[in-house]
Amino acid sequence: RNQEAAENQEQLDQIVSLKKGDTVKGTIVKLEDNQAYVSIGYKYDGVIPVRELSSVQLDNASDAVQVGQEVECKVVSINDDKESLVLSKRAIDTENSWEELEKHFADQDVFEVTVADVVKGGLVADVGARGFIPASMVERHFVEDFSD
């Protein structure tokens, strides 16, 4: 019981001294079209703007996260006077994806990705970071239009 109390106090101490660049874990508590609210146990909830939810463009915050989902984020900015805490899920996802991608590369793995967009010359894929697949690497034969 004392160990649990000490761990809780340690977590509270860390949260009291929150600063830009810190990594925090929390739970999505509310979604709006252009942002998600995250409870991290701080005095007020943090906000993840839609552009900080994913490495690819999203129309809606709900395309990336759901209420109740646990997320790991980086503190982008904090202003206690204005009760403003801006977080980035994308920053953590990108860091983690590079480690994963380096492992795939070293092992010469073939792996599946989600195509996020079709652009001139190829495909944009979400691999935690924004990835580009040139058209010449998608099919063995010439493809006129990827939008099909």
Side-chain angles (χ1 to χ4, degrees):
R1 195 120 178 97
N2 285 342
Q3 183 179 358
E4 188 177 317
E7 286 173 5
N8 287 343
Q9 186 59 48
E10 188 177 308
Q11 286 179 325
L12 286 173
D13 291 346
Q14 289 174 339
I15 288 176
V16 169
S17 62
L18 204 58
K19 65 186 181 305
K20 183 178 176 177
D22 284 353
T23 298
V24 294
K25 289 184 180 177
T27 305
I28 303 292
V29 292
K30 181 181 170 191
L31 290 176
E32 292 180 355
D33 287 349
N34 61 349
Q35 59 193 8
Y37 292 87
V38 183
S39 173
I40 61 166
Y42 196 57
K43 297 181 263 188
Y44 45 87
D45 291 341
V47 175
I48 308 173
V50 71
R51 72 181 179 280
E52 293 298 332
L53 282 169
S54 174
S55 62
V56 296
Q57 188 171 344
L58 300 172
D59 294 328
N60 218 306
S62 62
D63 293 341
V65 291
Q66 271 66 50
V67 171
Q69 181 178 339
E70 297 281 319
V71 292
E72 189 173 12
C73 299
K74 189 163 276 206
V75 175
V76 174
S77 67
I78 183 167
N79 183 332
D80 282 332
D81 295 336
K82 295 181 180 178
E83 291 194 0
S84 168
L85 173 60
V86 180
L87 304 170
S88 174
K89 178 179 175 297
R90 178 175 57 101
I92 296 296
D93 289 350
T94 300
E95 285 175 18
N96 293 341
S97 70
W98 276 112
E99 292 173 18
E100 191 75 20
L101 288 170
E102 286 173 351
K103 183 180 180 317
H104 284 307
F105 183 76
D107 296 344
Q108 297 186 352
D109 287 341
V110 174
F111 59 99
E112 289 188 24
V113 298
T114 302
V115 174
D117 199 5
V118 177
V119 294
K120 185 177 180 179
L123 305 172
V124 174
D126 183 2
V127 291
R130 185 179 164 99
F132 178 72
I133 305 168
S136 62
M137 297 303 208
V138 176
E139 289 286 345
R140 293 177 188 218
H141 62 279
F142 178 73
V143 176
E144 182 74 40
D145 185 6
F146 280 112
S147 59
D148 294 340

